[in-house]
């Protein structure tokens, strides 16, 4: 074959092969907007991406950095206004209903998947109600996180002469004093509003108990928001804040988690996505680190359920990809591998009741056991800081007052409680 013929043959082969191969490879493309961007979170979301790509779909990653998701929500809103929402997005709690009421979410696309995969039987009603709008699924729930955790580096505790994890606020302060005296940062904490409120709601739970928490943070009852128990909770919050990392202003949660992992700090108050960073660093629960309920909250569980909503799309070809993501997300394999990487527990009832079977560690087993037990006693309450209890507007009111209070050296707890109630009232 002369060189011209060889080139012609190569071109005709090339024109057949790659094009037909790539056309056959992608069954459609779906963009997924989420805020899982720390190292550990990325490892978890990559599990879903790999499974969806294996099924032949193209995953367009719409990651928006920023713990707690406030930035992702701003991006989503502007995209929705511009008429260009992604196929799938991470949205949670009562906000799902607000989005659905705009007519932008798809109430049809998940119907068959939900029926075929028997979602109603797999999920607790409390969870399925959150992701349904007028009886139709508009989102798939991904996992359950617990907020009221305290993460401890036992090696650091030992060096500071502390022999056990604190179970009361007084023990917490005593441990924090010893950590400081031994030259450690007592409490790793990034001073971003959502992190401040993550600590605030754990303290409210400890001081007011689950019933008081519910009255103040879920029912938004004025008396509960201004009463003596809230004043006490704010007083304790101010004390907890005195132990926070002095270099933590504006810091991301995962960089603060790294300080506990690397032995610079002794403790962190954070939801169990913090575990994803420990896992990524090859650390083992119960050995290299301890997870204990935030002092005084062992009989309560502030829950946070991640979910992925489906937006209506102009391109009808996106539906198959949206359905594939939803099917994968509630599959047994994904539920196990994602939560092991993410630090959460599955949303499926059958898996929650049999965690040992799936190789979950001690933290996850405790979490599942407490989730089921606390659901029977009223101890199970939705997290305000993680969009499960209120609308984003009310959450914003809490965030402003709490962060200002923590940062104002002259702030008075009774006055802050009044401000809280007024801000919440205005945002309702
Ligand atoms: C989300 C978690 C996420 C965390 C930190 C929470 O609101 O539910 O999935 O890991 O924020 O970004």
């Amino acid at each position: 074959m002369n060189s011209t013929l060889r080139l012609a043959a190569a071109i005709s082969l090339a024109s057949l092969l790659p094009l037909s191969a790539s056309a056959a490879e992608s069954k459609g493309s779906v963009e997924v907007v989420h805020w899982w961007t720390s190292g550990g979170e990325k490892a978890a979301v990559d599990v879903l991406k790999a499974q969806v790509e294996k099924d032949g779909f193209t995953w367009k990653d719409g990651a928006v950095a920023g713990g707690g998701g406030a930035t992702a929500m701003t991006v989503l809103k502007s995209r929705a206004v511009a008429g260009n929402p992604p196929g799938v997005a991470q949205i949670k709690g009562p906000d799902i209903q607000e989005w659905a009421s705009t007519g932008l979410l798809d109430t049809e696309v998940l119907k068959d998947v939900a029926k075929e995969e028997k979602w109603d039987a797999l999920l607790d009603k409390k969870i399925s109600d959150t992701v349904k709008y007028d009886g139709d699924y508009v989102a798939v729930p991904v996992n359950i996180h617990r907020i009221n955790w305290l993460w401890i580096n036992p090696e650091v505790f030992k060096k500071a002469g502390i022999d056990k994890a604190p179970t009361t606020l007084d023990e917490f302060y005593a441990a924090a004093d010893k950590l400081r005296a031994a030259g450690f940062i007592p409490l790793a904490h990034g001073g971003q509003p959502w992190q401040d409120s993550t600590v605030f709601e754990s303290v409210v739970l400890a001081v007011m108990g689950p019933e008081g928490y519910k009255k103040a943070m879920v029912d938004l009852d004025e008396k509960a928001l201004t009463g003596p128990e809230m004043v006490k909770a704010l007083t304790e919050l101010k004390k907890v804040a005195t132990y926070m990392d002095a270099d933590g202003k504006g810091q991301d949660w995962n960089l603060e988690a790294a300080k506990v992992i690397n032995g610079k700090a002794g403790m962190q108050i954070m939801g169990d996505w913090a575990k994803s960073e420990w896992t990524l660093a090859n650390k083992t629960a119960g050995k290299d680190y301890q997870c204990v309920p935030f002092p005084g909250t062992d009989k309560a569980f502030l829950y946070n359920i991640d979910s992925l909503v489906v937006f209506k799309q102009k391109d009808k070809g996106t539906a198959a990809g949206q359905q594939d993501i939803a099917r994968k997300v509630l599959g047994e394999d994904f539920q196990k591998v994602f939560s092991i990487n993410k630090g959460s527990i599955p949303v499926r009832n059958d898996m929650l009741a049999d965690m040992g079977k799936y190789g979950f560690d001690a933290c996850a087993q405790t979490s599942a056991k407490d989730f089921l037990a606390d659901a029977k006693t009223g101890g199970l309450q939705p997290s305000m800081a993680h969009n499960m209890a209120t609308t984003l507007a009310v959450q914003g009111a809490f965030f402003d007052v709490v962060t200002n209070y923590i940062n104002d050296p002259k702030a008075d707890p009774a006055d802050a409680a009044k401000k809280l109630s007024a801000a919440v009232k205005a945002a309702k």
Side-chain angles (χ1 to χ4, degrees):
M1 216 190 279
N2 68 30
S3 61
T4 318
L5 276 178
R6 268 203 305 272
L7 184 62
I11 291 171
S12 67
L13 260 183
S15 65
L16 280 177
L17 281 175
L19 271 187
S20 53
S22 66
E25 262 164 25
S26 182
K27 293 185 189 160
S29 137
V30 192
E31 183 181 8
V32 185
V33 167
H34 61 88
W35 65 89
W36 293 319
T37 53
S38 78
E41 290 174 321
K42 185 172 179 318
V45 74
D46 279 351
V47 171
L48 183 58
K49 180 173 181 253
Q51 293 196 359
V52 169
E53 284 180 343
K54 198 167 158 222
D55 285 349
F57 296 94
T58 304
W59 171 285
K60 266 183 77 187
D61 202 55
V64 181
T71 319
M73 288 304 112
T74 310
V75 168
L76 260 187
K77 274 182 203 143
S78 55
R79 291 205 34 188
V81 170
N84 175 35
V88 171
Q90 184 186 357
I91 298 181
K92 294 185 293 185
D95 231 30
I96 296 178
Q97 307 302 314
E98 293 220 335
W99 276 98
S101 68
T102 64
L104 290 171
L105 302 190
D106 199 319
T107 51
E108 290 297 317
V109 78
L110 299 181
K111 266 192 179 146
D112 291 347
V113 186
K115 218 179 268 158
E116 283 158 27
E117 306 285 324
K118 305 194 170 53
W119 286 6
D120 280 347
L122 282 183
L123 300 170
D124 188 276
K125 195 169 175 305
K126 206 178 200 149
I127 296 177
S128 56
D129 280 351
T130 314
V131 290
K132 278 181 182 177
Y133 181 66
D134 269 353
D136 294 318
Y137 283 97
V138 288
V140 56
V142 181
N143 60 347
I144 301 170
H145 277 301
R146 184 187 200 169
I147 305 302
N148 51 312
W149 281 119
L150 180 69
W151 303 89
I152 293 174
N153 183 324
E155 194 58 39
V156 172
F157 262 41
K158 217 164 128 201
K159 285 185 191 154
I162 309 159
D163 52 14
K164 74 182 222 0
T167 55
T168 62
L169 280 173
D170 284 340
E171 285 178 13
F172 173 86
Y173 301 137
D177 283 334
K178 285 192 176 168
L179 287 164
R180 177 173 286 153
F184 296 102
I185 301 164
L187 187 64
H189 178 81
Q192 296 170 344
W194 73 271
Q195 294 186 62
D196 293 341
S197 277
T198 297
V199 174
F200 165 65
E201 67 181 16
S202 293
V203 174
V204 168
L205 187 66
V207 173
M208 302 178 69
E211 254 178 59
Y213 175 94
K214 180 175 178 296
K215 274 194 199 134
M217 320 284 266
V218 184
D219 304 340
L220 309 176
D221 176 88
E222 198 177 332
K223 277 204 193 104
L225 284 168
T226 53
E229 283 198 314
M230 180 57 81
V231 176
K232 166 108 170 65
L234 286 162
T235 308
E236 299 290 354
L237 175 67
K238 201 75 181 169
K239 186 153 183 196
V240 170
T242 61
Y243 297 103
M244 288 173 176
D245 181 9
D247 296 327
K249 290 278 164 282
Q251 193 71 273
D252 288 337
W253 67 271
N254 50 314
L255 301 181
E256 290 297 315
K259 294 184 184 173
V260 192
I261 298 173
N262 298 334
K264 290 199 176 77
M267 309 183 274
Q268 184 180 25
I269 301 163
M270 187 48 69
D272 42 18
W273 48 89
K275 203 174 80 180
S276 68
E277 297 301 306
W278 291 90
T279 305
L280 192 72
N282 282 320
K283 307 287 186 191
T284 307
K287 181 173 144 264
D288 304 314
Y289 65 98
Q290 261 184 297
C291 58
V292 294
F294 179 73
T297 70
D298 59 321
K299 299 273 183 302
F301 190 121
L302 288 186
Y303 69 87
N304 168 25
I305 300 167
D306 283 315
S307 37
L308 295 173
V309 307
V310 282
F311 276 95
K312 283 181 187 159
Q313 296 289 286
K314 287 187 197 118
D315 172 9
K316 290 294 162 218
T318 312
Q322 291 173 314
Q323 287 159 350
D324 189 68
I325 290 180
R327 191 172 278 120
K328 283 278 146 351
V329 161
L330 275 185
E332 206 173 343
D333 182 53
F334 172 82
Q335 284 286 307
K336 173 187 146 174
V337 186
F338 181 82
S339 268
I340 286 179
N341 280 291
K342 185 77 168 44
S344 48
I345 56 173
V347 267
R348 283 174 52 150
N349 284 329
D350 55 345
M351 294 179 73
L352 281 172
D354 200 2
M355 293 283 285
K357 180 176 153 194
Y358 299 95
F360 280 101
D361 67 15
C363 299
Q365 301 231 16
T366 305
S367 190
K369 192 171 74 43
D370 290 354
F371 179 82
L372 296 173
D374 296 342
K376 293 189 188 120
T377 61
L380 185 65
Q381 294 296 332
S383 159
M384 176 280 292
H386 294 276
N387 323 1
M388 299 304 300
T390 69
T391 59
L392 286 187
V394 171
Q395 186 201 54
F398 273 108
F399 280 14
D400 285 350
V401 176
V402 168
T403 290
N404 284 335
Y405 172 71
I406 286 183
N407 290 307
D408 177 358
K410 287 195 240 92
D412 168 66
D415 184 45
K418 278 194 204 113
K419 282 191 182 137
L420 201 56
S421 166
V424 164
K425 201 168 172 183
K428 264 204 265 188

